[in-house]
Amino acid sequence: MQAPHKEHLYKLLVIGDLGVGKTSIIKRYVHQNFSSHYRATIGVDFALKVLHWDPETVVRLQLWDIAGQERFGNMTRVYYREAMGAFIVFDVTRPATFEAVTKWKNDLDSKLTLPNGKPVSVVLLANKCDQGKDMLMNNGLKMDQFCKEHGFVGWFETSAKENINIDEASRCLVKHILANE
Ligand code: GDP
Ligand code: MG
């Protein structure tokens, strides 16, 4: 007899201010590459990543990249629709992008809930950690507290450039989504 086979398809959003590294994180995660040449994303874009989660479970992630509208600081309900989780990204070298994190979280929670009425799982990414750890990054406790207060399921220091913690952050998000279903 064949082992039971489960397949999941999840739409995941990657949001946060312009230039924090959203496109780079997706590229690193899905295509295993990085470019320091900056090109703003134009048009709606998404990439697919397949995870062999366990011997019985395949998880397909559809990662949605923001297409330049992040300059307005919010997205439409249509864009968020049917997402199962999100990464909210900030740039550790630019404090203003961290201040925008709660704004992004509120925008998401006000426009999207899961079919069961719960808020979607969101993981916070402190990106460009290869650039040095100034500001609040020295204080993991403070970040844990911040995540608790604002309803993030976890946070990771990431680098799309050095490929740090992106797989870990994704596993954390998927684990919470699977547990929520
Ligand atoms: P987006 O506007 O949020 O999609 O940001 P991009 O992915 O386009 O990245 C903006 C700029 O930051 C680009 O020049 C990237 O090469 C750079 N960048 C992105 N991630 C990292 C990182 O982890 N470390 C460093 N040093 N630079 C990064
Ligand atoms: Mg982009």
Side-chain angles (χ1 to χ4, degrees), residues 56-76:
E56 289 93 48
T57 315
V58 172
V59 177
R60 287 173 209 280
L61 302 176
Q62 201 182 57
L63 292 143
W64 284 52
D65 197 2
I66 291 191
Q69 303 96 308
E70 66 263 62
R71 67 186 87 247
F72 305 116
N74 62 72
M75 300 297 291
T76 64

Side-chain angles (χ1 to χ4, degrees), residues 23-175:
T23 301
S24 300
I25 287 169
I26 294 172
K27 267 169 68 186
R28 168 61 76 190
Y29 187 50
V30 176
H31 307 294
Q32 288 85 41
N33 63 28
F34 177 81
S35 153
S36 55
H37 180 70
Y38 181 71
R39 274 180 60 216
T41 312
I42 298 162
V44 176
D45 206 3
F46 57 84
L48 197 69
K49 172 91 175 176
V50 180
L51 297 180
H52 297 276
W53 187 256
D54 63 34
E56 289 93 48
T57 315
V58 172
V59 177
R60 287 173 209 280
L61 302 176
Q62 201 182 57
L63 292 143
W64 284 52
D65 197 2
I66 291 191
Q69 303 96 308
E70 66 263 62
R71 67 186 87 247
F72 305 116
N74 62 72
M75 300 297 291
T76 64
R77 264 172 222 283
V78 172
Y79 182 81
Y80 288 147
R81 194 163 61 199
E82 289 175 359
M84 292 298 287
F87 297 103
I88 295 182
V89 187
F90 71 98
D91 174 346
V92 295
T93 69
R94 287 190 293 144
T97 66
F98 177 70
E99 269 136 48
V101 160
T102 45
K103 185 196 65 185
W104 282 106
K105 181 73 164 64
N106 292 337
D107 189 55
L108 180 64
D109 287 339
S110 70
K111 292 174 182 165
L112 177 70
T113 46
L114 294 176
N116 64 16
K118 289 188 194 170
V120 294
S121 302
V122 187
V123 167
L124 181 61
L125 303 183
N127 193 44
K128 306 196 189 182
C129 71
D130 58 279
Q131 297 267 48
K133 311 182 177 198
D134 40 325
M135 48 187 266
L136 66 166
M137 289 307 98
N138 294 316
N139 199 334
L141 276 178
K142 215 163 151 188
M143 285 299 283
D144 289 344
Q145 184 61 29
F146 178 85
C147 285
K148 223 177 187 171
E149 269 167 28
H150 293 91
F152 291 91
V153 301
W155 70 281
F156 292 82
E157 286 178 288
T158 59
S159 167
K161 186 177 181 192
E162 308 288 341
N163 194 15
I164 298 168
N165 271 343
I166 296 173
D167 290 301
E168 289 78 0
S170 175
R171 275 202 295 276
C172 171
L173 184 56
V174 170
K175 195 180 72 188

